[in-house]
Amino acid sequence: MAKTAESVLYYNPGTPESMKHVAKLKSVLVRMGVRIRNIHPEQTGQTVGFLAGIEGFEEREIEEELPEIPEEMLVMKHFSGHRLDELLLNLRKAGVPRIAIKAVLTEQNAGWPFYKLYQELRREHEAMHGISAAQEEAAEGQTEEKTS
């Protein structure tokens, strides 16, 4: 039985902060033999299943322009628990800052538009950490002021 290839859907908003470590992140993925699929803003209306190359998911015509996703996002396909742990450890060792918005591809989320998955993950992240995105941005702004 052939091993199913691991892959990652990677969204980067292109902000100066998020661009600093892209080469490190991609280097880790390449060393681990993980395929990378870069997701661009104009693709966020497509289903996660289509973007991940799952048979049966077709490209959709996007009728509305969606807001850009303001932060990095990873969606991992065909990772075992052990390999997921290995990936996260290798990213940390390489000095890649923590990416808060990440998920494992499932039967349930494969049919969701990429942007809807982002929204759900953002809500879950805020609920788990008890903070809103606005509070997070304000805290980051205060940190930048102190270091300036």
Side-chain angles (χ1 to χ4, degrees):
M1 181 186 231
K3 183 179 184 252
T4 307
E6 298 161 329
S7 63
V8 167
L9 302 179
Y10 175 58
Y11 179 87
N12 186 302
T15 61
E17 191 60 35
S18 69
M19 295 305 292
K20 290 180 183 177
H21 60 268
V22 171
K24 289 179 186 176
L25 180 139
K26 289 185 176 184
S27 175
V28 167
L29 294 171
V30 168
R31 279 195 318 267
M32 290 182 66
V34 176
R35 292 185 181 147
I36 307 161
R37 167 96 194 259
N38 293 306
I39 306 302
H40 303 284
E42 62 275 7
Q43 296 174 300
T44 61
Q46 297 297 333
T47 64
V48 177
F50 170 74
L51 295 170
I54 297 175
E55 198 171 310
F57 287 91
E58 303 298 322
E59 186 171 14
R60 302 170 14 161
E61 187 171 321
I62 308 301
E63 290 138 22
E64 62 181 295
E65 190 171 320
L66 297 168
E68 282 197 30
I69 296 173
E71 57 196 311
E72 287 177 285
M73 182 171 159
L74 290 175
V75 179
M76 293 148 290
K77 175 184 170 191
H78 294 310
F79 276 77
S80 67
H82 172 73
R83 284 288 285 176
L84 184 57
D85 290 343
E86 186 180 346
L87 171 62
L88 298 176
L89 177 64
N90 286 335
L91 290 173
R92 212 171 22 257
K93 283 182 177 178
V96 176
R98 189 174 155 283
I99 297 173
I101 307 301
K102 54 188 170 294
V104 172
L105 181 68
T106 66
E107 282 184 35
Q108 289 75 28
N109 65 26
W112 292 13
F114 192 85
Y115 189 81
K116 180 182 176 193
L117 178 59
Y118 163 74
Q119 290 177 308
E120 183 60 27
L121 294 171
R122 170 53 42 212
R123 273 192 292 274
E124 288 176 10
H125 180 76
E126 289 170 6
M128 283 184 357
H129 296 283
I131 58 172
S132 70
Q135 290 171 314
E136 208 170 81
E137 288 173 17
E140 287 175 10
Q142 289 174 350
T143 303
E144 287 174 15
E145 287 174 14
K146 289 178 184 176
T147 59
S148 306

